[in-house]
Coordinates of all heavy atoms in Angstrom, one line a residue:
M1 N 0.8 -1.2 0.0 CA 0.0 0.0 0.0 C 0.9 1.2 0.0 O 1.9 1.3 0.7 CB -0.9 0.0 1.2 CG -2.1 0.9 1.1 SD -3.3 0.9 2.4 CE -3.5 -0.8 2.8
V2 N 0.5 2.2 -0.8 CA 1.3 3.5 -0.9 C 0.5 4.6 -0.1 O -0.7 4.7 -0.2 CB 1.4 3.9 -2.4 CG1 2.1 5.2 -2.5 CG2 2.1 2.8 -3.2
T3 N 1.3 5.3 0.6 CA 0.7 6.5 1.3 C 1.1 7.7 0.6 O 2.3 7.9 0.3 CB 1.2 6.5 2.8 OG1 0.8 5.3 3.5 CG2 0.6 7.7 3.5
V4 N 0.2 8.6 0.3 CA 0.4 9.8 -0.5 C 0.0 11.0 0.4 O -1.1 11.0 0.9 CB -0.3 9.8 -1.8 CG1 0.0 11.1 -2.6 CG2 0.1 8.6 -2.7
T5 N 0.8 12.0 0.5 CA 0.5 13.3 1.2 C 0.6 14.3 0.1 O 1.5 14.4 -0.7 CB 1.4 13.6 2.3 OG1 1.4 12.5 3.3 CG2 1.1 14.9 3.0
G6 N -0.4 15.2 0.1 CA -0.4 16.3 -0.9 C -1.4 17.4 -0.5 O -1.9 17.4 0.6
A7 N -1.6 18.3 -1.5 CA -2.5 19.4 -1.2 C -3.3 19.7 -2.5 O -2.8 19.5 -3.6 CB -1.6 20.6 -0.9
F8 N -4.5 20.1 -2.3 CA -5.4 20.5 -3.4 C -5.0 22.0 -3.8 O -4.3 22.7 -3.1 CB -6.9 20.4 -3.0 CG -7.3 19.0 -2.7 CD1 -7.4 18.5 -1.4 CD2 -7.6 18.2 -3.8 CE1 -7.8 17.2 -1.2 CE2 -8.0 16.9 -3.6 CZ -8.1 16.4 -2.3
D9 N -5.6 22.5 -4.9 CA -5.3 23.8 -5.4 C -5.6 24.9 -4.3 O -5.0 25.9 -4.3 CB -6.1 24.1 -6.6 CG -5.6 23.3 -7.8 OD1 -4.4 22.8 -7.8 OD2 -6.3 23.2 -8.8
D10 N -6.6 24.6 -3.5 CA -7.0 25.7 -2.5 C -6.1 25.6 -1.2 O -6.3 26.3 -0.3 CB -8.5 25.5 -2.1 CG -8.8 24.2 -1.4 OD1 -7.9 23.4 -1.2 OD2 -10.0 24.0 -1.1
G11 N -5.1 24.7 -1.2 CA -4.2 24.6 -0.1 C -4.6 23.5 0.9 O -3.8 23.3 1.9
S12 N -5.8 22.9 0.8 CA -6.2 21.9 1.8 C -5.3 20.7 1.6 O -5.1 20.2 0.5 CB -7.6 21.5 1.5 OG -8.5 22.6 1.7
A13 N -4.8 20.2 2.7 CA -3.9 19.0 2.7 C -4.6 17.7 2.8 O -5.8 17.7 3.3 CB -2.9 19.1 3.8
Y14 N -4.1 16.7 2.3 CA -4.6 15.4 2.5 C -3.5 14.3 2.6 O -2.4 14.5 2.2 CB -5.5 15.0 1.2 CG -4.7 14.8 0.0 CD1 -4.2 13.5 -0.3 CD2 -4.5 15.8 -0.9 CE1 -3.5 13.3 -1.5 CE2 -3.8 15.6 -2.1 CZ -3.3 14.4 -2.4 OH -2.5 14.2 -3.5
T15 N -3.9 13.2 3.2 CA -3.1 12.0 3.3 C -4.0 10.8 3.0 O -5.0 10.7 3.7 CB -2.4 11.9 4.7 OG1 -1.5 13.0 4.9 CG2 -1.5 10.6 4.7
V16 N -3.6 10.0 2.0 CA -4.4 8.9 1.6 C -3.5 7.7 1.5 O -2.3 7.8 1.3 CB -5.2 9.1 0.3 CG1 -6.2 10.2 0.5 CG2 -4.3 9.4 -0.8
Q17 N -4.2 6.5 1.5 CA -3.5 5.2 1.2 C -4.2 4.8 -0.1 O -5.4 4.7 -0.2 CB -3.7 4.2 2.3 CG -2.9 4.4 3.5 CD -3.5 5.5 4.4 OE1 -4.7 5.5 4.6 NE2 -2.7 6.4 5.0
I18 N -3.3 4.4 -1.1 CA -3.8 3.8 -2.3 C -4.0 2.3 -2.1 O -3.0 1.6 -1.8 CB -2.9 4.1 -3.5 CG1 -2.8 5.6 -3.7 CG2 -3.4 3.4 -4.8 CD1 -1.8 6.0 -4.8
T19 N -5.2 1.8 -2.1 CA -5.5 0.4 -1.7 C -5.3 -0.6 -2.8 O -5.1 -1.8 -2.5 CB -6.9 0.3 -1.2 OG1 -7.8 0.6 -2.3 CG2 -7.2 1.3 -0.1
G20 N -5.5 -0.2 -4.1 CA -5.4 -1.2 -5.2 C -6.7 -1.9 -5.3 O -6.8 -2.9 -6.1
R21 N -7.8 -1.5 -4.6 CA -9.1 -2.1 -4.7 C -10.0 -1.3 -5.6 O -10.1 -0.1 -5.5 CB -9.7 -2.2 -3.3 CG -8.9 -3.2 -2.4 CD -9.5 -3.2 -1.0 NE -10.9 -2.8 -0.9 CZ -11.4 -2.3 0.3 NH1 -10.6 -2.2 1.4 NH2 -12.6 -1.9 0.3
A22 N -10.7 -2.0 -6.5 CA -11.6 -1.3 -7.4 C -12.8 -0.6 -6.7 O -13.2 0.5 -7.1 CB -12.2 -2.3 -8.4
D23 N -13.2 -1.2 -5.6 CA -14.4 -0.6 -4.9 C -14.0 0.6 -4.0 O -14.9 1.4 -3.7 CB -15.1 -1.7 -4.0 CG -14.2 -2.2 -2.9 OD1 -13.0 -2.3 -3.1 OD2 -14.8 -2.6 -1.9
R24 N -12.7 0.7 -3.7 CA -12.3 1.8 -2.8 C -10.8 2.1 -3.1 O -10.0 1.7 -2.3 CB -12.5 1.4 -1.3 CG -12.5 2.6 -0.4 CD -13.1 2.2 0.9 NE -13.1 3.4 1.8 CZ -13.2 3.3 3.1 NH1 -13.4 2.2 3.7 NH2 -13.1 4.4 3.8
P25 N -10.5 2.8 -4.1 CA -9.1 3.0 -4.6 C -8.3 3.8 -3.6 O -7.1 3.5 -3.5 CB -9.3 3.9 -5.9 CG -10.7 3.8 -6.3 CD -11.5 3.4 -5.1
V26 N -8.8 4.7 -2.8 CA -8.1 5.5 -1.8 C -8.9 5.6 -0.5 O -10.1 5.6 -0.6 CB -7.7 6.9 -2.3 CG1 -6.7 6.8 -3.5 CG2 -8.8 7.8 -2.6
V27 N -8.2 5.6 0.6 CA -8.8 5.8 1.9 C -8.1 6.9 2.6 O -6.9 7.1 2.4 CB -8.9 4.5 2.8 CG1 -9.8 3.5 2.2 CG2 -7.5 4.0 3.0
G28 N -8.8 7.7 3.4 CA -8.2 8.7 4.2 C -8.6 10.1 3.9 O -8.5 11.0 4.7
S29 N -9.3 10.3 2.7 CA -9.8 11.6 2.4 C -11.0 11.5 1.4 O -10.8 10.9 0.3 CB -8.7 12.5 1.7 OG -9.2 13.6 1.0
H30 N -12.1 11.9 1.8 CA -13.3 11.9 1.0 C -13.1 12.7 -0.3 O -13.5 12.3 -1.4 CB -14.5 12.4 1.7 CG -15.0 11.5 2.9 ND1 -15.4 10.2 2.7 CD2 -14.9 11.7 4.2 CE1 -15.7 9.7 3.9 NE2 -15.4 10.6 4.8
R31 N -12.4 13.8 -0.2 CA -12.2 14.7 -1.3 C -11.3 14.0 -2.4 O -11.5 14.1 -3.6 CB -11.6 16.0 -0.8 CG -11.6 17.1 -1.9 CD -11.3 18.4 -1.3 NE -11.1 19.4 -2.3 CZ -10.6 20.6 -2.1 NH1 -10.3 20.9 -0.9 NH2 -10.4 21.4 -3.1
A32 N -10.2 13.4 -1.9 CA -9.3 12.7 -2.8 C -10.0 11.5 -3.5 O -9.8 11.2 -4.6 CB -8.0 12.3 -2.1
A33 N -10.8 10.8 -2.7 CA -11.6 9.7 -3.2 C -12.5 10.1 -4.3 O -12.7 9.5 -5.3 CB -12.3 8.9 -2.1
A34 N -13.2 11.3 -4.1 CA -14.1 11.8 -5.1 C -13.4 12.2 -6.3 O -13.9 12.0 -7.4 CB -14.9 13.0 -4.5
L35 N -12.2 12.8 -6.2 CA -11.4 13.2 -7.3 C -11.0 12.0 -8.2 O -11.1 12.0 -9.4 CB -10.1 13.9 -6.8 CG -9.1 14.3 -7.9 CD1 -9.7 15.4 -8.8 CD2 -7.8 14.7 -7.3
V36 N -10.6 10.9 -7.5 CA -10.2 9.7 -8.3 C -11.5 9.1 -9.0 O -11.4 8.8 -10.1 CB -9.6 8.6 -7.3 CG1 -9.4 7.3 -8.0 CG2 -8.2 9.1 -6.8
E37 N -12.6 9.1 -8.3 CA -13.8 8.5 -8.8 C -14.3 9.4 -10.0 O -14.7 8.8 -11.0 CB -14.9 8.5 -7.8 CG -16.2 7.9 -8.3 CD -17.3 7.8 -7.2 OE1 -16.9 7.7 -6.0 OE2 -18.5 7.8 -7.5
L38 N -14.1 10.7 -10.0 CA -14.4 11.6 -11.1 C -13.7 11.2 -12.3 O -14.2 11.4 -13.4 CB -14.1 13.0 -10.7 CG -14.4 14.1 -11.7 CD1 -15.9 14.2 -11.9 CD2 -13.8 15.4 -11.2
H39 N -12.4 10.8 -12.2 CA -11.6 10.5 -13.4 C -11.5 9.0 -13.8 O -10.8 8.7 -14.7 CB -10.2 11.1 -13.1 CG -10.2 12.6 -13.0 ND1 -10.3 13.4 -14.1 CD2 -10.2 13.4 -12.0 CE1 -10.3 14.6 -13.8 NE2 -10.2 14.7 -12.4
L40 N -12.3 8.2 -13.1 CA -12.3 6.7 -13.5 C -12.7 6.6 -15.0 O -13.7 7.3 -15.5 CB -13.3 5.9 -12.6 CG -12.8 5.7 -11.2 CD1 -13.9 5.0 -10.4 CD2 -11.5 4.9 -11.1
G41 N -12.0 5.8 -15.7 CA -12.3 5.6 -17.1 C -11.6 6.5 -18.1 O -11.5 6.2 -19.3
E42 N -11.1 7.6 -17.6 CA -10.4 8.6 -18.4 C -8.9 8.1 -18.7 O -8.4 7.3 -17.9 CB -10.3 10.0 -17.8 CG -11.6 10.7 -17.7 CD -11.4 12.1 -17.0 OE1 -10.3 12.5 -16.8 OE2 -12.4 12.7 -16.7
E43 N -8.3 8.5 -19.8 CA -6.9 8.1 -20.0 C -6.0 9.2 -19.4 O -6.3 10.4 -19.5 CB -6.7 8.0 -21.5 CG -7.3 6.8 -22.1 CD -6.7 6.4 -23.4 OE1 -6.2 7.3 -24.1 OE2 -6.8 5.2 -23.8
I44 N -5.0 8.7 -18.8 CA -4.0 9.7 -18.1 C -2.6 9.1 -18.3 O -2.4 7.9 -18.3 CB -4.4 9.8 -16.6 CG1 -3.6 10.9 -16.0 CG2 -4.1 8.5 -15.9 CD1 -4.2 11.4 -14.6
P45 N -1.6 10.0 -18.5 CA -0.3 9.5 -18.6 C 0.3 9.1 -17.3 O 0.1 9.7 -16.3 CB 0.5 10.7 -19.2 CG -0.3 11.9 -18.8 CD -1.7 11.4 -18.7
L46 N 1.0 8.0 -17.3 CA 1.6 7.5 -16.0 C 2.9 8.3 -15.7 O 3.3 8.4 -14.5 CB 2.0 6.0 -16.1 CG 0.9 5.0 -16.2 CD1 1.5 3.6 -16.3 CD2 0.0 5.2 -15.0
S47 N 3.4 9.0 -16.7 CA 4.6 9.9 -16.4 C 4.4 11.0 -17.5 O 3.6 11.0 -18.3 CB 5.9 9.1 -16.6 OG 6.1 8.8 -18.0
P48 N 5.3 12.0 -17.4 CA 5.2 13.1 -18.3 C 5.3 12.7 -19.8 O 4.8 13.4 -20.7 CB 6.3 14.1 -17.9 CG 6.5 13.8 -16.5 CD 6.2 12.3 -16.3
T49 N 6.0 11.6 -20.0 CA 6.1 11.1 -21.4 C 5.3 9.9 -21.7 O 5.4 9.3 -22.8 CB 7.6 10.8 -21.7 OG1 8.0 9.8 -20.7 CG2 8.5 12.0 -21.6
G50 N 4.3 9.6 -20.9 CA 3.4 8.5 -21.1 C 3.9 7.2 -20.5 O 4.7 7.2 -19.6
P51 N 3.3 6.1 -20.7 CA 2.2 5.9 -21.7 C 0.8 6.3 -21.1 O 0.7 6.4 -19.9 CB 2.2 4.3 -21.8 CG 2.7 3.8 -20.5 CD 3.7 4.9 -20.1
L52 N -0.2 6.4 -21.9 CA -1.5 6.7 -21.5 C -2.2 5.4 -21.1 O -2.1 4.4 -21.8 CB -2.4 7.3 -22.6 CG -2.0 8.8 -23.0 CD1 -2.8 9.2 -24.2 CD2 -2.2 9.7 -21.8
V53 N -2.9 5.4 -20.0 CA -3.7 4.3 -19.5 C -5.0 4.8 -19.0 O -5.1 5.9 -18.6 CB -2.9 3.5 -18.4 CG1 -1.7 2.9 -18.9 CG2 -2.7 4.3 -17.2
A54 N -6.0 3.9 -19.0 CA -7.3 4.3 -18.4 C -7.2 4.2 -16.9 O -6.6 3.2 -16.4 CB -8.4 3.3 -19.0
V55 N -7.8 5.1 -16.2 CA -7.8 5.1 -14.8 C -8.8 4.1 -14.3 O -10.0 4.1 -14.7 CB -8.2 6.5 -14.2 CG1 -8.3 6.5 -12.7 CG2 -7.2 7.6 -14.7
T56 N -8.3 3.1 -13.5 CA -9.2 2.2 -12.8 C -8.8 2.1 -11.4 O -7.7 2.3 -11.0 CB -9.0 0.7 -13.5 OG1 -7.7 0.3 -13.3 CG2 -9.4 0.7 -14.9
G57 N -9.8 1.8 -10.5 CA -9.6 1.8 -9.1 C -8.6 0.7 -8.6 O -8.0 0.9 -7.6
D58 N -8.5 -0.4 -9.4 CA -7.6 -1.4 -9.0 C -6.2 -1.3 -9.6 O -5.4 -2.2 -9.3 CB -8.2 -2.8 -9.3 CG -8.5 -3.0 -10.8 OD1 -8.4 -2.0 -11.6 OD2 -8.8 -4.1 -11.2
D59 N -5.9 -0.2 -10.3 CA -4.6 0.0 -10.8 C -4.0 1.2 -10.0 O -4.3 2.3 -10.2 CB -4.7 0.4 -12.3 CG -3.4 0.7 -12.9 OD1 -2.3 0.5 -12.3 OD2 -3.4 1.1 -14.1
S60 N -3.1 0.8 -9.1 CA -2.5 1.8 -8.2 C -1.7 2.8 -8.9 O -1.7 4.0 -8.5 CB -1.6 1.1 -7.2 OG -2.3 0.2 -6.4
A61 N -1.1 2.5 -10.0 CA -0.3 3.4 -10.8 C -1.1 4.5 -11.4 O -0.8 5.7 -11.4 CB 0.5 2.7 -11.9
S62 N -2.3 4.1 -11.9 CA -3.2 5.1 -12.6 C -3.8 6.0 -11.5 O -4.0 7.2 -11.7 CB -4.3 4.5 -13.4 OG -5.2 3.7 -12.7
V63 N -4.1 5.5 -10.3 CA -4.7 6.3 -9.2 C -3.7 7.3 -8.8 O -4.0 8.5 -8.6 CB -5.2 5.4 -8.1 CG1 -5.5 6.2 -6.8 CG2 -6.3 4.5 -8.5
L64 N -2.4 6.9 -8.6 CA -1.3 7.8 -8.2 C -1.2 8.9 -9.3 O -0.9 10.0 -9.0 CB -0.1 7.0 -8.0 CG 1.2 7.8 -7.6 CD1 0.9 8.7 -6.4 CD2 2.4 6.9 -7.4
A65 N -1.3 8.5 -10.6 CA -1.1 9.4 -11.7 C -2.2 10.5 -11.6 O -2.0 11.7 -11.9 CB -1.2 8.7 -13.0
V66 N -3.5 10.2 -11.2 CA -4.5 11.1 -11.0 C -4.2 12.1 -9.9 O -4.3 13.3 -10.1 CB -5.9 10.5 -10.7 CG1 -6.9 11.5 -10.2 CG2 -6.4 9.7 -11.9
L67 N -3.7 11.6 -8.8 CA -3.3 12.5 -7.7 C -2.2 13.4 -8.1 O -2.1 14.6 -7.8 CB -2.9 11.7 -6.5 CG -4.0 10.9 -5.9 CD1 -3.5 10.0 -4.7 CD2 -5.2 11.8 -5.4
R68 N -1.2 12.9 -8.9 CA -0.1 13.7 -9.3 C -0.5 14.8 -10.3 O 0.0 15.9 -10.3 CB 1.0 12.9 -10.0 CG 1.8 12.0 -9.1 CD 2.8 11.2 -9.8 NE 3.6 10.4 -9.0 CZ 4.2 9.3 -9.4 NH1 4.1 8.8 -10.6 NH2 5.0 8.6 -8.5
E69 N -1.5 14.5 -11.2 CA -2.0 15.4 -12.2 C -2.8 16.5 -11.6 O -2.7 17.7 -12.1 CB -2.8 14.6 -13.2 CG -3.3 15.4 -14.4 CD -2.2 15.9 -15.4 OE1 -1.1 15.3 -15.4 OE2 -2.5 16.9 -16.1
Y70 N -3.7 16.2 -10.7 CA -4.7 17.2 -10.2 C -4.5 17.8 -8.9 O -5.2 18.6 -8.4 CB -6.1 16.5 -10.3 CG -6.5 16.2 -11.7 CD1 -6.4 14.9 -12.2 CD2 -6.8 17.2 -12.6 CE1 -6.7 14.6 -13.5 CE2 -7.2 16.9 -13.9 CZ -7.1 15.6 -14.4 OH -7.4 15.2 -15.7
T71 N -3.4 17.3 -8.2 CA -3.1 17.9 -6.9 C -1.5 18.1 -6.8 O -0.8 17.6 -7.7 CB -3.5 17.0 -5.7 OG1 -2.7 15.8 -5.7 CG2 -5.0 16.6 -5.8
S72 N -1.1 18.7 -5.8 CA 0.4 18.8 -5.6 C 0.8 17.7 -4.6 O 0.5 17.8 -3.4 CB 0.7 20.2 -5.0 OG 0.4 21.2 -5.8
V73 N 1.4 16.6 -5.1 CA 1.8 15.5 -4.3 C 3.1 15.9 -3.7 O 4.1 16.3 -4.3 CB 2.0 14.2 -5.1 CG1 2.6 13.1 -4.3 CG2 0.6 13.8 -5.7
L74 N 3.2 15.9 -2.3 CA 4.3 16.3 -1.6 C 5.2 15.1 -1.2 O 6.4 15.3 -1.1 CB 3.9 17.1 -0.3 CG 3.0 18.3 -0.6 CD1 2.5 18.8 0.7 CD2 3.7 19.3 -1.4
E75 N 4.6 14.0 -0.9 CA 5.4 12.8 -0.4 C 4.6 11.5 -0.8 O 3.4 11.5 -0.8 CB 5.5 12.9 1.1 CG 6.4 11.9 1.7 CD 6.6 12.1 3.2 OE1 6.0 13.1 3.8 OE2 7.3 11.3 3.8
E76 N 5.4 10.5 -1.1 CA 4.9 9.2 -1.4 C 5.7 8.2 -0.6 O 7.0 8.2 -0.6 CB 5.0 8.8 -2.9 CG 4.3 9.7 -3.8 CD 4.7 9.5 -5.3 OE1 5.1 8.4 -5.6 OE2 4.7 10.5 -6.0
N77 N 5.1 7.3 0.2 CA 5.8 6.3 1.0 C 5.1 5.0 0.7 O 4.0 4.9 0.5 CB 5.7 6.6 2.5 CG 6.4 7.9 2.8 OD1 7.6 8.0 2.5 ND2 5.8 8.8 3.6
G78 N 5.9 3.9 0.9 CA 5.4 2.6 0.8 C 5.9 1.9 -0.5 O 6.7 2.4 -1.2
A79 N 5.3 0.8 -0.8 CA 5.7 0.0 -2.0 C 5.3 0.8 -3.2 O 4.2 1.3 -3.3 CB 5.0 -1.4 -1.9
A80 N 6.1 0.8 -4.2 CA 5.8 1.5 -5.4 C 4.7 0.8 -6.1 O 4.6 -0.5 -6.2 CB 7.0 1.5 -6.3
P81 N 3.7 1.5 -6.7 CA 2.6 0.9 -7.4 C 3.1 0.2 -8.6 O 4.1 0.6 -9.2 CB 1.7 2.0 -7.7 CG 2.5 3.2 -7.7 CD 3.6 3.0 -6.7
R82 N 2.5 -0.9 -9.0 CA 2.9 -1.6 -10.2 C 2.7 -0.8 -11.4 O 1.8 0.0 -11.4 CB 2.2 -3.0 -10.3 CG 0.7 -2.7 -10.6 CD 0.1 -4.0 -11.1 NE -1.3 -3.8 -11.5 CZ -1.7 -3.3 -12.6 NH1 -0.8 -2.9 -13.5 NH2 -2.9 -3.1 -12.9
Q83 N 3.5 -0.9 -12.3 CA 3.4 -0.1 -13.6 C 2.5 -0.9 -14.5 O 2.6 -2.1 -14.6 CB 4.8 0.1 -14.2 CG 5.7 0.9 -13.4 CD 5.2 2.3 -13.2 OE1 4.7 2.9 -14.2 NE2 5.3 2.8 -12.0
A84 N 1.5 -0.2 -15.1 CA 0.6 -0.8 -16.0 C 1.4 -1.3 -17.2 O 2.4 -0.7 -17.7 CB -0.4 0.2 -16.5
R85 N 1.1 -2.5 -17.7 CA 1.7 -3.0 -18.8 C 1.1 -2.5 -20.1 O -0.2 -2.6 -20.2 CB 1.7 -4.6 -18.8 CG 2.4 -5.2 -19.9 CD 2.3 -6.7 -19.9 NE 2.9 -7.3 -21.0 CZ 2.4 -7.3 -22.2 NH1 1.3 -6.7 -22.5 NH2 3.0 -7.9 -23.2
V86 N 1.8 -2.0 -21.0 CA 1.3 -1.5 -22.3 C 1.5 -2.6 -23.3 O 2.7 -3.1 -23.5 CB 2.1 -0.2 -22.7 CG1 1.5 0.2 -24.1 CG2 1.9 0.8 -21.7
P87 N 0.4 -3.1 -23.9 CA 0.5 -4.2 -24.9 C 1.5 -3.9 -26.0 O 1.5 -2.7 -26.5 CB -0.9 -4.4 -25.4 CG -1.8 -3.8 -24.3 CD -0.9 -2.7 -23.7
G88 N 2.3 -4.8 -26.4 CA 3.2 -4.6 -27.5 C 4.6 -4.0 -27.1 O 5.4 -3.8 -27.9
T89 N 4.8 -3.8 -25.8 CA 6.1 -3.2 -25.4 C 6.8 -4.3 -24.6 O 6.2 -5.1 -23.9 CB 5.9 -2.0 -24.5 OG1 5.2 -2.3 -23.3 CG2 5.2 -0.9 -25.2
E90 N 8.1 -4.2 -24.7 CA 9.0 -5.1 -24.0 C 10.1 -4.3 -23.3 O 10.4 -3.3 -23.8 CB 9.6 -6.1 -25.0 CG 8.6 -6.9 -25.7 CD 8.8 -8.4 -25.5 OE1 9.7 -8.8 -24.8 OE2 7.9 -9.2 -25.9
P91 N 10.6 -4.8 -22.2 CA 11.7 -4.1 -21.6 C 12.9 -4.0 -22.6 O 13.1 -5.0 -23.3 CB 12.1 -4.9 -20.4 CG 11.0 -5.9 -20.2 CD 10.2 -6.0 -21.5
L92 N 13.7 -3.0 -22.5 CA 14.9 -2.8 -23.3 C 15.9 -3.8 -22.8 O 16.2 -3.8 -21.6 CB 15.4 -1.4 -23.3 CG 16.6 -1.1 -24.1 CD1 16.4 -1.3 -25.6 CD2 17.1 0.3 -23.8
R93 N 16.5 -4.5 -23.7 CA 17.6 -5.5 -23.3 C 18.8 -5.1 -24.1 O 18.7 -4.9 -25.3 CB 17.2 -6.9 -23.6 CG 16.0 -7.4 -22.7 CD 15.8 -8.9 -22.9 NE 14.8 -9.2 -21.9 CZ 13.6 -9.7 -22.3 NH1 13.3 -9.8 -23.6 NH2 12.7 -10.0 -21.4
T94 N 19.9 -5.0 -23.4 CA 21.2 -4.7 -24.1 C 22.2 -5.8 -23.8 O 22.1 -6.5 -22.8 CB 21.8 -3.3 -23.7 OG1 22.0 -3.4 -22.3 CG2 20.8 -2.2 -24.0
T95 N 23.1 -5.9 -24.8 CA 24.2 -6.9 -24.6 C 25.5 -6.2 -24.7 O 25.7 -5.3 -25.5 CB 24.1 -8.0 -25.7 OG1 22.8 -8.6 -25.7 CG2 25.2 -9.0 -25.6
C96 N 26.4 -6.6 -23.8 CA 27.7 -5.9 -23.8 C 28.8 -7.0 -23.9 O 28.7 -8.0 -23.2 CB 27.9 -5.2 -22.5 SG 29.5 -4.4 -22.3
T97 N 29.6 -6.9 -24.9 CA 30.7 -7.8 -25.1 C 32.0 -7.1 -24.7 O 32.3 -6.0 -25.2 CB 30.8 -8.3 -26.5 OG1 29.5 -8.8 -26.9 CG2 31.9 -9.3 -26.7
I98 N 32.8 -7.8 -23.8 CA 34.1 -7.2 -23.4 C 35.2 -8.0 -24.1 O 35.2 -9.2 -24.1 CB 34.3 -7.3 -21.9 CG1 33.2 -6.5 -21.2 CG2 35.6 -6.9 -21.5 CD1 33.1 -6.7 -19.7
V99 N 36.0 -7.3 -24.8 CA 37.1 -7.9 -25.6 C 38.4 -7.5 -24.9 O 38.7 -6.3 -24.6 CB 37.1 -7.4 -27.0 CG1 38.3 -8.0 -27.8 CG2 35.8 -7.8 -27.7
Q100 N 39.2 -8.5 -24.5 CA 40.5 -8.2 -23.8 C 41.6 -8.5 -24.8 O 41.6 -9.6 -25.4 CB 40.6 -9.1 -22.6 CG 41.8 -8.8 -21.8 CD 41.9 -9.7 -20.5 OE1 41.2 -10.7 -20.5 NE2 42.6 -9.2 -19.6
E101 N 42.5 -7.5 -25.0 CA 43.6 -7.7 -25.9 C 44.7 -8.5 -25.2 O 44.9 -8.2 -24.0 CB 44.1 -6.4 -26.3 CG 43.2 -5.7 -27.3 CD 43.8 -4.4 -27.8 OE1 45.0 -4.3 -27.9 OE2 43.0 -3.5 -28.2
R102 N 45.4 -9.3 -25.9 CA 46.5 -10.1 -25.3 C 47.8 -9.4 -25.8 O 47.9 -9.0 -26.9 CB 46.5 -11.5 -25.8 CG 45.3 -12.3 -25.2 CD 45.4 -13.7 -25.5 NE 44.3 -14.4 -25.0 CZ 44.0 -15.6 -25.1 NH1 44.9 -16.4 -25.8 NH2 43.0 -16.2 -24.6
S103 N 48.7 -9.3 -24.9 CA 50.0 -8.7 -25.3 C 51.1 -9.7 -25.4 O 51.1 -10.8 -25.0 CB 50.4 -7.6 -24.4 OG 50.0 -7.8 -23.1

């Protein structure tokens, strides 16, 4: 579970836990929960360069992205949310060959 502390545009502070549950994505702030619920189903970038994913309550990464996009996130603690998998993408793999010269 990830704990997020942040502030809304009007300066009101919040602290929530991202649960990873579809029925209750965040606990600790009714206002933050309403914000996440408002954006369910919308596409949001997981980072400034993407990828875009649909916001779902059981996807901790997309819930965190909503909080980052619409509030000022000040602190994140706990296990990092899993990153959504984008179909057709694979991790970058590199190979390094070391050649040693003989004298």
